[in-house]
Amino acid sequence: LEPGVAIKVENDKGIELRGKMVAQGTAADSIYFQSASQTPTKGLWNGIKVIGNTNPLGVGNQLTMGYVNIEHAKTCVDLDIAYHGPYIFKHCLFRDNYKVNNDGGMPETRFENCVFENNILGLEYCQFDSYAIKCQFINNEYGIDGIGYIDSCFFTGHSGVALEPYGVTKNCLIQNNNIGVKAMFNSVNNSYIDNVIRNNDIGVEIQTYFNSSNNFTGNTICDNTSYNLKLYSSNNANLALNCWCSNDETSVKSTIYDGYVNTASGLVNVMPLSNNCPNIS
């Protein structure tokens, strides 16, 4: 598909891809997948269903998109039975959809420099390797729920949860959301580093926490309205070497919901505090 092409799909119809698609627009001339309705709303057409399950698996570059806009779909790309990747999306805009993906393709699904705006759900869990790099998540209900590697992304304006990480999350800015981060930090969700979580209602909600298998360090968690952090796990959580925009342990602890507020929860250790707090004004 060449730059400037616009594909408009009737209500409750979709596109089924069994071969290979390369949709490469430009910064000045995107490619569009849209509803054919004159008054489009979320979920009017079914999206693109990718089918690739013949041998050899794990090769083929079946779907590549660059500078593509997908709007008003139920699911933008259904990769549940897509085994001829990698599946690559760069500089794409996903706006006003129910959700962007259903599962992820083999061997990997990669979103780079993409924008996810005003969807019910931006990105959800992928069974194979999945990446969101330098992406923006704006005014969705839920931003990310379960992507394996997240780097240098921006999250704002989410009415539900901005980010439910799964694996490695680093260098992200998460601000002005209802809940910034909600996570079950367990044996696979083991690295959350150098992120800034600020000006949300709740900064971080931790459902479960296993100290021996997590690296939760270098984060800046400040100025969240209700709590900077809420720990629901009955396990204690060692969250040393993070920045809370205060050098006073008592002040920091007053912004944390843990066993001192609810005896069913464990206790959060914040000491020693990070001495490398960035300027986030």
Side-chain angles (χ1 to χ4, degrees):
L1 300 179
E2 296 180 350
V5 169
I7 297 174
K8 295 183 179 293
V9 185
E10 294 180 357
N11 292 359
D12 298 318
K13 304 295 183 182
I15 296 170
E16 188 172 280
L17 175 64
R18 290 180 177 267
K20 181 174 181 177
M21 179 190 293
V22 177
Q24 186 60 57
T26 67
D29 206 3
S30 297
I31 295 170
Y32 292 85
F33 290 84
Q34 299 171 316
S35 167
S37 172
Q38 295 298 312
T39 56
T41 57
K42 289 183 177 72
L44 285 185
W45 67 289
N46 293 336
I48 302 169
K49 184 178 181 66
V50 182
I51 298 176
N53 55 2
T54 57
N55 289 322
L57 302 180
V59 297
N61 296 97
Q62 187 179 11
L63 178 59
T64 301
M65 289 186 169
Y67 293 102
V68 172
N69 294 7
I70 303 183
E71 300 172 317
H72 307 119
K74 289 184 175 69
T75 301
C76 295
V77 284
D78 185 344
L79 300 171
D80 184 43
I81 46 178
Y83 296 91
H84 295 315
Y87 296 86
I88 306 296
F89 305 87
K90 294 185 177 182
H91 300 283
C92 293
L93 170 64
F94 303 94
R95 182 168 57 195
D96 292 319
N97 305 286
Y98 278 173
K99 65 179 183 177
V100 172
N101 72 302
N102 177 45
D103 211 330
M106 180 183 184
E108 70 175 50
T109 303
R110 181 178 294 265
F111 296 87
E112 294 186 21
N113 297 105
C114 293
V115 176
F116 304 79
E117 184 175 4
N118 200 34
N119 306 286
I120 301 299
L121 172 59
L123 292 177
E124 68 174 357
Y125 170 79
C126 299
Q127 64 174 315
F128 301 109
D129 289 345
S130 54
Y131 302 84
I133 301 171
K134 296 181 179 178
C135 292
Q136 297 183 55
F137 295 80
I138 303 170
N139 296 338
N140 306 287
E141 188 169 340
Y142 296 91
I144 287 182
D145 181 7
I147 294 296
Y149 185 90
I150 305 166
D151 187 3
S152 303
C153 291
F154 172 67
F155 300 81
T156 193
H158 292 81
S159 59
V161 179
L163 171 60
E164 295 193 39
Y166 183 90
V168 176
T169 303
K170 62 180 184 178
N171 304 318
C172 292
L173 173 58
I174 303 154
Q175 64 180 15
N176 301 320
N177 305 283
N178 177 35
I179 299 174
V181 178
K182 181 177 180 179
M184 299 178 67
F185 288 104
N186 51 37
S187 60
V188 296
N189 200 345
N190 56 14
S191 188
Y192 192 82
I193 57 175
D194 299 332
N195 302 286
V196 175
I197 308 103
R198 65 180 186 185
N199 297 329
N200 306 282
D201 182 38
I202 297 172
V204 181
E205 281 192 1
I206 296 179
Q207 305 296 311
T208 59
Y209 199 90
F210 294 88
N211 290 289
S212 62
S213 55
N214 286 288
N215 179 8
F216 189 102
T217 58
N219 302 291
T220 298
I221 310 169
C222 297
D223 301 322
N224 298 285
T225 303
S226 294
Y227 287 98
N228 279 334
L229 183 137
K230 297 185 78 171
L231 176 67
Y232 290 105
S233 174
S234 59
N235 293 335
N236 295 338
N238 183 8
L239 302 182
L241 299 177
N242 292 286
C243 171
W244 307 84
C245 296
S246 172
N247 292 320
D248 180 69
E249 182 180 6
T250 300
S251 176
V252 171
K253 290 288 290 181
S254 70
T255 70
I256 294 175
Y257 176 106
D258 65 358
Y260 288 111
V261 180
N262 181 353
T263 56
S265 297
L267 299 178
V268 175
N269 172 55
V270 299
M271 302 301 288
L273 302 170
S274 172
N275 59 6
N276 188 30
C277 290
N279 183 358
I280 65 168
S281 60

